[in-house]
Amino acid sequence: MHSLKRSLLIGLIVPLLLILPAVAAIQYWLIVTPAKAEIDAQLGDFALALARFIHEEGGMVSFKITAQAERLLLTDQSDKEYFLVLDPAGRALAGDEALRDPPLRVAPDEWQFVDGVLHHHRLRILVFGTPCGAGVCQIRIAETFIKRNQVRTDALIATIGYSLLFGLITIGVMVLAVRRSLAVLNQLNAHLLAQNPHELSLWQGEPIPKELAPLIAAWNQLLFKLQESHRAQQQLIADVAHQMRTPLSSLKMEAELALLEPHPPAVHQALENLNRAADRAARLSAQLLSLARADQGLQAVGQWQMVDLKTVVAELVEEWSRRALVQSIDLGFELESALIYANPSLLIEAIANLLDNAFEYAGAGSVVTVRCRVAGYRAFLDVEDNGPGIPAEEHARVWERFYRAADTADAHKDASHASRGSGLGLAIVAEIARRHNAVAEILSPQTGQGTRIRLSFPAV
Ligand SMILES: Nc1ncnc2c1ncn2[C@@H]1O[C@H](COP(=O)(O)OP(=O)(O)OP(=O)(O)O)[C@@H](O)[C@H]1O
Ligand SMILES: [Mg+2]
């Protein structure tokens, strides 16, 4: 996959790696050239000093130097030095005869440098012409390459070391700069990943780089449109569910009336089925309405306020105790004060769905308990029953819309057992929990067998 970071880094680092050797070569040349010139100049100074020892008497040229002066001039700390003085006729006046090669002619006061070999040493030879008598005497002075090689080695080490250091630091800085500049993409990425499809939030990271501003603006526009269309869909569902209530209740009323009227036994079963189907449809449309309302959250009915979970649950006690009596269920409440920020009508809806499931699936003779309390920074609401429980492999899926556990769906397919459910109850609970920043989870019940569903809210 194409990586912006990689192409930026390649675009920066490859040219740097190409330029760096060229820069290093120039740097090496700049160090070595003056140093070599300096060493050559020293050789020139020696030649000039030696020239002073050439004497001319009555047309006879001679070279006289004391051993001390010779030592003084020709002793070097690292290199070996040699010299040769030739008279205008080419006879050696003093020095090392072997320096005669290569034969060269120089004008008076002219310098020439040549490379040569003497006693197996490579030599740098300076040939200097100095006027003597009627002609030109040659002073040849030679030196081994030790100093020169040392200069080269030092320059090489310095250049390579400097280039490596410079290269590494520059590459490090480039990597950091590219990373820093692209960090905003990671932020954008994290923002996208954190998006909740029910509640898209616009990107407000600061500061936005100029280059990304159009992208982020377009992105925000898209989010805004999605939000709008999601809201419109929810509104449509809510409206349809609301509009269906009247025809559905008249359908049910008519079915009930028909059942009360004398009717042929052949149609009795049909009327019963019709009545139940109207019931189911009414319940489904009520559920869709509450799901849409919970999804719309803030526009939902009722106010958001500080409430005590205990008072909210207390509102359900009377109605559900009556139902428990009818269905022979042992319903108990263990309520402690727990202050949370909530929308009471949504909360009641959620608890009612949990109780509905407990009654439905645990069935007659079972024990159902509602608990609430505070522990640490969380407020808990548990609805527990000692029914068949939800198999662990279904735990994740039962929260999905229109999902019913396999057993339930099978059992209720049987026409004799009227199926009321459509798999929306827990989805509504999950949506309401999400609206409250609460966690909805299935725990193992205190009594061992059964179902315990817990909503844990941030406590105030
Ligand atoms: N207390 C419970 N005991 C056993 N199984 C449960 C319990 N609560 C939920 N379930 C399982 O989870 C599934 C999903 O529950 P949910 O309330 O979402 O849908 P439903 O009860 O089937 O239909 P609806 O609630 O829409 O009438 C149920 O079909 C059932 O299998
Ligand atoms: Mg249910």
Side-chain angles (χ1 to χ4, degrees):
M1 200 171 28
H2 175 73
S3 151
L4 196 57
K5 188 153 122 193
R6 221 179 55 194
S7 52
L8 267 177
L9 285 177
I10 289 177
L12 291 170
I13 292 175
V14 169
L16 176 76
L17 292 181
L18 292 180
I19 291 169
L20 216 54
V23 171
I26 293 172
Q27 197 184 15
Y28 174 79
W29 184 79
L30 286 177
I31 297 176
V32 166
T33 309
K36 270 168 49 180
E38 174 69 20
I39 299 173
D40 281 346
Q42 271 174 20
L43 225 48
D45 289 345
F46 293 155
L48 283 175
L50 283 179
R52 291 214 205 98
F53 294 95
I54 297 177
H55 302 283
E56 192 201 342
E57 266 178 45
M60 284 292 288
V61 180
S62 66
F63 181 84
K64 284 188 197 115
I65 187 166
T66 59
Q68 197 186 8
E70 188 180 327
R71 242 194 341 268
L72 205 67
L73 278 175
L74 296 175
T75 311
D76 187 89
Q77 274 186 359
S78 41
D79 278 299
K80 265 184 115 52
E81 318 255 345
Y82 304 93
F83 79 100
L84 172 67
V85 183
L86 299 173
D87 72 2
R91 282 187 298 266
L93 297 177
D96 207 323
E97 275 280 1
L99 272 187
R100 208 180 258 287
D101 278 337
L104 270 179
R105 290 200 158 275
V106 279
D109 296 324
E110 189 197 348
W111 314 88
Q112 271 193 42
F113 282 97
V114 285
D115 289 353
V117 178
L118 181 71
H119 307 315
H120 306 297
H121 292 301
R122 216 163 74 80
L123 293 178
R124 176 80 167 160
I125 305 169
L126 164 64
V127 183
F128 174 57
T130 179
C132 61
V136 181
C137 286
Q138 258 190 31
I139 296 177
R140 293 190 167 209
I141 179 149
E143 185 175 65
T144 48
F145 270 85
I146 296 175
K147 262 202 306 280
R148 287 174 168 76
N149 288 341
Q150 190 60 47
V151 163
R152 283 206 188 105
T153 314
D154 289 351
L156 204 63
I157 291 174
T159 311
I160 291 178
Y162 172 80
S163 302
L164 278 181
L165 194 71
F166 177 79
L168 286 178
I169 290 176
T170 313
I171 288 174
V173 169
M174 284 172 174
V175 171
L176 280 183
V178 167
R179 253 199 216 157
R180 263 192 59 179
S181 312
L182 294 185
V184 66
L185 292 183
N186 292 341
Q187 284 173 29
L188 196 59
N189 196 17
H191 176 76
L192 297 193
L193 287 178
Q195 285 292 319
N196 177 341
H198 300 282
E199 201 178 355
L200 300 171
S201 68
L202 301 186
W203 161 265
Q204 272 152 358
E206 282 290 341
I208 298 172
K210 203 165 68 189
E211 293 77 3
L212 283 185
L215 176 74
I216 290 173
W219 170 251
N220 277 346
Q221 232 172 49
L222 175 69
L223 282 187
F224 185 72
K225 283 183 196 156
L226 279 176
Q227 254 173 3
E228 285 299 299
S229 92
H230 181 72
R231 208 168 286 153
Q233 265 180 27
Q234 291 303 321
Q235 192 58 47
L236 178 71
I237 293 174
D239 291 348
V240 170
H242 194 263
Q243 292 303 316
M244 301 245 299
R245 285 212 305 214
T246 324
L248 284 175
S249 51
S250 52
L251 185 67
K252 177 164 170 59
M253 211 168 64
E254 298 295 336
E256 277 171 353
L257 275 177
L259 275 170
L260 290 177
E261 293 296 323
H263 53 267
V267 297
H268 183 77
Q269 187 58 45
L271 285 178
E272 284 278 3
N273 289 349
L274 185 65
N275 190 20
R276 264 199 301 268
D279 249 349
R280 275 192 59 196
R283 194 173 127 81
L284 179 60
S285 86
Q287 278 181 318
L288 283 176
L289 185 61
S290 55
L291 198 57
R293 279 177 175 167
D295 205 353
Q296 282 177 321
L298 299 176
Q299 288 122 298
V301 280
Q303 283 290 310
W304 284 80
Q305 63 201 73
M306 293 294 186
V307 282
D308 193 340
L309 263 179
K310 187 177 167 178
T311 23
V312 176
V313 178
E315 285 185 38
L316 291 154
V317 172
E318 197 191 315
E319 183 196 339
W320 285 88
S321 298
R322 209 169 342 104
R323 287 200 205 179
L325 207 65
V326 174
Q327 297 184 33
S328 317
I329 285 171
D330 176 2
L331 176 63
F333 293 90
E334 296 170 14
L335 308 178
E336 291 173 21
S337 263
L339 217 52
I340 58 170
Y341 183 72
N343 181 322
S345 34
L346 288 182
L347 266 190
I348 287 178
E349 184 83 35
I351 303 166
N353 273 294
L354 293 176
L355 280 172
D356 187 73
N357 281 349
F359 278 34
E360 169 93 6
Y361 302 113
S366 58
V367 182
V368 175
T369 314
V370 183
R371 296 192 187 86
C372 66
R373 69 191 167 91
V374 178
Y377 294 106
R378 315 260 333 151
F380 298 108
L381 176 94
D382 289 4
V383 177
E384 181 177 324
D385 65 62
N386 62 351
I390 302 174
E393 62 275 14
E394 303 275 8
H395 280 193
R397 298 209 58 192
V398 288
W399 302 100
E400 291 170 15
R401 292 174 183 190
F402 298 109
Y403 182 81
R404 314 195 70 206
D407 290 355
T408 321
D410 290 348
H412 289 221
K413 241 184 243 152
D414 184 355
S416 65
H417 193 313
S419 166
R420 307 187 308 131
S422 39
L424 281 178
L426 289 182
I428 293 172
V429 173
E431 188 57 40
I432 292 174
R434 196 182 61 72
R435 279 282 155 196
H436 285 82
N437 289 326
V439 180
E441 54 192 334
I442 302 171
L443 304 178
S444 49
Q446 289 177 353
T447 47
Q449 199 219 341
T451 307
R452 175 154 65 125
I453 295 195
R454 160 168 291 183
L455 303 184
S456 63
F457 302 83
V460 178

